[in-house]
Amino acid sequence: MKIIVSVVLIITISHFLPWWTLSIITLIIGYNSTKEIEALINGLIIGFLSWFLVLIYMLYNGGDNIFYKMSLVLNMKNPILLIIFSSALSGLLGLISSWTGWQFNKRN
C-alpha cells in the first residue's frame, strides 16, 4: 500500500515540482521503514515505477517521435529500452535516497 500511495504522490507532484522531489519522498519512505532491506526495496520500486509509468504514458500520448529520436541518438534499437534505462536510473536514485533516509533513522 505504501508503494502505491508513494507512486501516485510522485506522479501527481511531478507536474508541479522538479524531478528531484522523487528523492525527498523516497528519503521519507526510507526514514519510516522498519528494516534496511525494506527501505532499499521500496526505494527501488517506487523510483522505477513512478518514472516508468509516466514515460510509458508519454510514449503512447504523442511522445513517440521524441522517444524514437532520442533512442537513435543513444544507439538504442527501441524507445522502450530508453524508457527502461531511464527508469532504472531513477530506481537507483530512489534506492540511494531511501537508504540515506534509513541511515538518518537507524534502529539498532
Side-chain angles (χ1 to χ4, degrees):
M1 191 63 175
K2 189 186 317 185
I3 293 174
I4 295 170
V5 170
S6 298
V7 168
V8 169
L9 183 66
I10 289 171
I11 291 172
T12 305
I13 287 177
S14 68
H15 292 293
F16 307 108
L17 296 174
W19 62 269
W20 47 266
T21 54
L22 163 94
S23 299
I24 296 170
I25 294 172
T26 53
L27 183 114
I28 293 168
I29 293 295
Y31 185 82
N32 291 326
S33 296
T34 56
K35 296 180 183 177
E36 184 177 15
I37 192 72
E38 176 189 352
L40 294 174
I41 291 173
N42 285 343
L44 179 70
I45 291 172
I46 290 167
F48 182 86
L49 265 182
S50 61
W51 278 91
F52 185 76
L53 293 174
V54 168
L55 292 177
I56 288 293
Y57 176 78
M58 291 172 126
L59 176 68
Y60 291 115
N61 287 312
D64 54 343
N65 199 13
I66 188 80
F67 281 110
Y68 178 72
K69 289 186 181 191
M70 283 303 296
S71 64
L72 288 177
V73 167
L74 296 172
N75 262 345
M76 296 181 181
K77 298 182 192 303
N78 194 348
I80 298 295
L81 291 174
L82 177 66
I83 290 173
I84 291 172
F85 182 70
S86 299
S87 299
L89 286 175
S90 65
L92 181 65
L93 179 68
L95 182 132
I96 292 169
S97 63
S98 68
W99 180 76
T100 304
W102 167 256
Q103 292 299 318
F104 281 146
N105 191 19
K106 263 190 184 175
R107 293 174 180 93
N108 290 326

